[in-house]
Amino acid sequence: MVTVDFREERHNVLVGVLMIILSLVFLFFMGRSMVHSTHAFWSSCGIEHVLD
């Protein structure tokens, strides 16, 4: 039977939580950037010009 030291298990959980937090921050900033660039695109060219 394999035993895992409690400190090592706690370290692995801490690293996992940190990776989840970093991925959520990355997704938030990427999403905000995509929304900003899409808004800038649609405001720079009128919808009438795009539909023609």
Side-chain angles (χ1 to χ4, degrees):
M1 179 178 211
V2 177
T3 60
V4 178
D5 188 30
F6 178 70
R7 286 184 293 157
E8 184 178 337
E9 184 177 331
R10 191 176 67 185
H11 174 74
N12 291 342
V13 170
L14 183 64
V15 169
V17 169
L18 182 64
M19 289 176 66
I20 290 172
I21 291 171
L22 286 176
S23 65
L24 290 176
V25 168
F26 174 76
L27 288 175
F28 172 75
F29 281 114
M30 288 299 292
R32 194 173 74 165
S33 175
M34 287 175 59
V35 168
H36 177 70
S37 63
T38 303
H39 184 314
F41 170 75
W42 284 113
S43 62
S44 70
C45 61
I47 189 71
E48 297 84 15
H49 176 32
V50 173
L51 292 176
D52 287 339

